[in-house]
Each structure stands twice: as C-alpha cells, then as structure tokens.
Amino acid sequence: RGYNYRKIWGWTPENDPLEQWIVSLTMHEVGHTIGLRHNFTASYLWGPKEIHDVSITGDSTIASIMDYDPINIAPPGMKQGKYFPTVPGEYDRWAIEFGYSPELSDQERAELLALSILPPYTYGTDGDTMSSPGRNIDPRAKRYDMSSDVVTYTADRFIVLDNKIAELNEIFSDEGESKNDFADTFYSLVRDKGRFMDAVSRQVGGVYVTKLVNGQDSVNAYEPVPYEKQKAAMNLIINKFLANGAWTFDPAILKNLQREKRATGYSSTGNEDPQLHEMVTGMQARVLAALLHPAVMTRLVDSAQYGNTYMPEEVLSDLFNGLFVRNEDPDTFKRNIQSAYVDGLISAFKEDSEYDEISKAAVFTSLTKIQDFTKGNFRDSETKSHYQYLNWKVTNFLDGKVFTLLEGK
C-alpha cells in the first residue's frame, strides 16, 4: 500500500506519502495504547483549500490522529500539502493534557472542558459514525472523508481520480511485470469515488451534534445541516455520480484489467472479466440507500421543526429530475440505477415499512411522475424497452401487484 502511494502520487524526500503514512499509522496505534478513542469528526478541521496549504496546516491535516483519514491529494493547479498528519492534532494534545496532567485544579479542569464545543475539539467515535445507510445523524462523524466542506473536496477529488486513472498505463509500464497492480489500482481509484460520495450523501438529512452541558449556551446540541449544503451535496451526487456519461472508461484500460491468479485467490465462479456495472451500481445504490433510508426521510421531517427546510418532496423531486431527463438516451449504467431507484421507491410501501406518512406521500408522487415519464415516445429501441420495463414495474405497483414483484429482493 505504501509503495503504491509513492508510485501513484509521486514523492520527494521532503514530502513522502509512504513515510507520512507510516508515521500517521504508528501515532494512531500509540494513541490507542494511551487511551484515545477514534474521533471521526477530526477531518473537519480545515477547509478544502486550506488543507493543502502547509503554511496553515503545519504537519497536521486533521484535528486528531485517531480519525481514519484518506490520503490528502491536492487538485490540479494547487500545490501539494501534507499527504498525512505527522504530529498529533489539537484534539489529541487537548485530550492528553486533560487525561495526563497531574493534580489539575478545578479551574484548570473547567477551562479545559469548556473547549469541548469549539471546532478542533468536537468528538464523534465509533458509536456516532454515519457508516451504513440510516445509522446515526452527524455527517461530520464519518470515516474516510476530508475537510470541513466534503462536497467541494469530493468534487476536486473526482478530478484528481479521473486524471490519475488516465495515467495508469504510463505509471504501470515496467516490462515483464504482470497487470495485477495496474488492475488493483484502477479498482481502488474507482472505489474511492464511491467512498467519497458516501460522505457527501450523509449531508442530506444530516444533523450536527454538539455534546454540551448547561452553561455552554453559545451553541445548540442539534443543528440541521444548512439547506445550501444539502442542496450542494445533492447536485454533486446527481451531476457526477448518477448522470448519463458519469461512468465512462478507456477501453484500452478495461481490456487489461487482469489480476494474477493465486492458489488462495481463485474466484469461485471463474469469472475474472471486469464486472464494471456490478461495481458502479453497487456504489450508486449505497448512496441512494442513504438518501432514501426511512430514518433519513423521517429526520428531514422531524428536523423541520428546528430549522431544516429540505423536505422529502424536494429531495425526491431533485432525484427524479436528475435520473429521468427528457430527450436523453440513458447509458447502461444509468439504466441500472434508474431501475434500482424505482425498486427502492416501491419498497417504501412494503408491509414492514418504517417510512412516515409524509415521506410515503412524497414517494408516491415520485412514482406517479416516473409512470408518466416512462409512457413517452422514445426513438432509441433500447431506451424504449427499458422505459417500458420501468413503466410495467410502477404500473403493477399502482395496480396493487407490487409485493409480488418484490418477492425475493
């Protein structure tokens, strides 16, 4: 892994991703030995530009070495900063000072604890993290995200990933070497898109959580993610992750994604060809599962009572407008996710559904819009067949046959 960091991203003696990764990993494990728990909000320390500026960050790209941080890569046109932190962060020093300073006075203890509501000291550990869709509520507590603006950072990261994928043939060109590292790196870079977009999806319906006590009155315990941030997240998901043409690959790369066959690693099916649609649809479906999860839909409604204005009706309208575009012939990747999306909407009405009635009404409206859309005249034969199939699904649902269709899913 460390070797690949150098090979893929480059290195100098002054800025070496391998050395920084080893130091960062070592500090993380030492942190555990002295009692530090994971802190997955630590990546929110710097903005998406500041994080690449060593004059601002110094040797620490995150507030705590107890986060799970991805390698930090600057986008084109910006000077590369630190790849990984190489010194403890502000949170680490604060927690260690509190835990290991002998004989703190009551005033010193109170002064240290009062810092807990400030950005460098926010805390979200394993039980707080937004991991699987629908789990927990604070999008800052997320593994493998980066910066206080994950939408902008992710948009920049997609450019970085696309550029690097285009360079793979040149990077892995040593004569006599197998295609294994080439293939592994390709899949790793593509999966990074899904990992970063996971973090973006958690902005929708997210609620910031600040652990506080009486007297810390300058902040609230719960604050919905601002409307503008939720909309920016949705726009990035639609335009860079679900859109027609979002997933295009160089055939010269795809034809050489060959992994070595080893005694302990044979596929049970023997199917070693690049299965791109399964990979892409799986990543897209995970993001949609987060957006459509009944806990998220209900939270959008509940949090409207204390500030949220991005409601299920608008969320689903945005998704419909992004997924179903007039005069567009959807490519095979988009057809797959359109079909999965329809299935996800229909499943909201299963007998054991946990959706609230407000969300069900929004889902129903979206299904009727899809039914109307798929009745249209489509010149492309594959597009016509695809939309006839989706119309059949929705019509069967509206005719009361939905749960027969969903058996076995």
Side-chain angles (χ1 to χ4, degrees):
R1 181 177 179 180
Y3 164 77
N4 262 358
Y5 282 148
R6 280 183 170 181
K7 191 173 182 70
I8 297 167
W9 305 111
W11 71 286
T12 65
E14 297 75 30
N15 201 14
D16 181 359
L18 171 57
E19 178 184 1
Q20 292 172 24
W21 175 63
I22 292 172
V23 171
S24 179
L25 177 61
T26 302
M27 288 193 301
H28 181 100
E29 300 308 331
V30 170
H32 281 310
T33 69
I34 62 174
L36 296 181
R37 294 193 65 187
H38 291 141
N39 183 2
F40 296 121
T41 66
S43 54
Y44 265 65
L45 180 62
W46 304 112
K49 291 182 179 167
E50 291 81 2
I51 199 169
H52 305 298
D53 188 342
V54 177
S55 70
I56 295 174
T57 67
D59 292 328
S60 186
T61 54
I62 54 180
S64 172
I65 45 88
M66 304 311 295
D67 205 336
Y68 286 178
D69 53 315
I71 186 171
N72 179 43
I73 304 295
M78 194 172 294
K79 185 178 180 181
Q80 177 64 45
K82 298 287 286 189
Y83 293 101
F84 293 99
T86 55
V87 297
E90 288 188 62
Y91 173 87
D92 305 315
R93 294 192 295 271
W94 173 68
I96 291 168
E97 181 182 0
F98 179 82
Y100 285 89
S101 294
E103 300 178 358
L104 283 174
S105 67
D106 289 345
Q107 180 178 348
E108 289 170 330
R109 172 187 167 89
E111 288 174 352
L112 279 173
L113 291 177
L115 298 173
S116 65
I117 61 173
L118 300 179
Y121 311 110
T122 54
Y123 177 70
T125 193
D126 296 78
D128 304 307
T129 186
M130 294 190 82
S131 50
S132 57
R135 184 180 180 192
N136 289 312
I137 68 175
D138 189 339
R140 297 173 301 180
K142 186 77 176 70
R143 301 178 179 94
Y144 306 112
D145 61 350
M146 188 62 83
S147 99
S148 58
D149 182 353
V150 298
V151 176
T152 298
Y153 191 94
T154 297
D156 288 344
R157 188 61 162 242
F158 269 44
I159 297 171
V160 169
L161 292 169
D162 285 337
N163 289 347
K164 192 57 60 176
I165 289 171
E167 297 171 5
L168 288 182
N169 273 320
E170 181 180 347
I171 294 171
F172 295 94
S173 59
D174 293 344
E175 190 170 344
E177 290 293 322
S178 76
K179 296 292 186 180
N180 192 72
D181 288 348
F182 169 84
D184 281 349
T185 301
F186 169 84
Y187 288 120
S188 177
L189 294 174
V190 173
R191 285 194 298 268
D192 262 4
K193 289 190 171 186
R195 180 179 288 176
F196 277 94
M197 204 59 84
D198 262 1
V200 171
S201 71
R202 299 321 194 259
Q203 306 300 309
V204 176
V207 175
Y208 300 140
V209 179
T210 302
K211 299 173 177 64
L212 48 76
V213 297
N214 290 334
Q216 292 178 311
D217 301 326
S218 62
V219 297
N220 295 310
Y222 302 112
E223 285 287 355
V225 173
Y227 175 85
E228 294 76 14
K229 280 198 171 186
Q230 296 190 64
K231 287 288 283 189
M234 181 63 79
N235 288 337
L236 187 66
I237 291 168
I238 289 171
N239 294 324
K240 297 298 182 181
F241 204 64
L242 302 178
N244 217 32
W247 299 95
T248 56
F249 303 101
D250 182 354
I253 290 178
L254 302 185
K255 290 177 180 180
N256 288 285
L257 293 176
Q258 185 179 59
R259 283 172 160 153
E260 294 177 8
K261 286 190 172 182
R262 299 173 181 172
T264 57
Y266 281 106
S267 168
S268 59
T269 64
N271 297 331
E272 62 180 79
D273 56 310
Q275 296 168 13
L276 301 170
H277 287 81
E278 180 181 3
M279 178 176 62
V280 170
T281 304
M283 294 188 297
Q284 292 174 321
R286 181 178 170 87
V287 165
L288 285 182
L291 297 174
L292 297 177
H293 197 281
V296 173
M297 290 285 113
T298 301
R299 193 182 314 123
L300 289 166
V301 177
D302 283 337
S303 60
Q305 299 300 307
Y306 53 94
N308 178 53
T309 56
Y310 196 31
M311 297 292 282
E313 186 82 26
E314 186 176 359
V315 169
L316 295 181
S317 178
D318 287 345
L319 283 171
F320 170 80
N321 291 332
L323 284 169
F324 296 91
V325 179
R326 292 289 177 191
N327 302 316
E328 175 185 272
D329 292 326
D331 60 26
T332 52
F333 293 104
K334 192 167 189 181
R335 282 181 242 160
N336 275 345
I337 200 59
Q338 285 176 330
S339 186
Y341 180 63
V342 169
D343 290 345
L345 293 178
I346 291 173
S347 70
F349 296 92
K350 295 179 74 171
E351 191 170 333
D352 59 352
S353 170
E354 297 180 358
Y355 285 85
D356 66 285
E357 296 304 302
I358 308 302
S359 300
K360 283 183 177 178
V363 171
F364 183 83
T365 296
S366 193
L367 282 168
T368 59
K369 289 165 69 175
I370 293 171
Q371 185 186 41
D372 289 341
F373 182 94
T374 54
K375 286 178 182 176
N377 294 318
F378 305 99
R379 288 177 293 180
D380 179 75
S381 61
E382 289 189 6
T383 300
K384 182 176 181 179
S385 296
H386 168 67
Y387 283 138
Q388 285 177 337
Y389 171 54
L390 295 191
N391 186 271
W392 173 78
K393 283 189 181 185
V394 176
T395 300
N396 271 285
F397 160 71
L398 295 175
D399 288 346
K401 300 175 184 177
V402 57
F403 301 120
T404 301
L405 291 176
L406 288 175
E407 284 180 2
K409 285 192 177 290

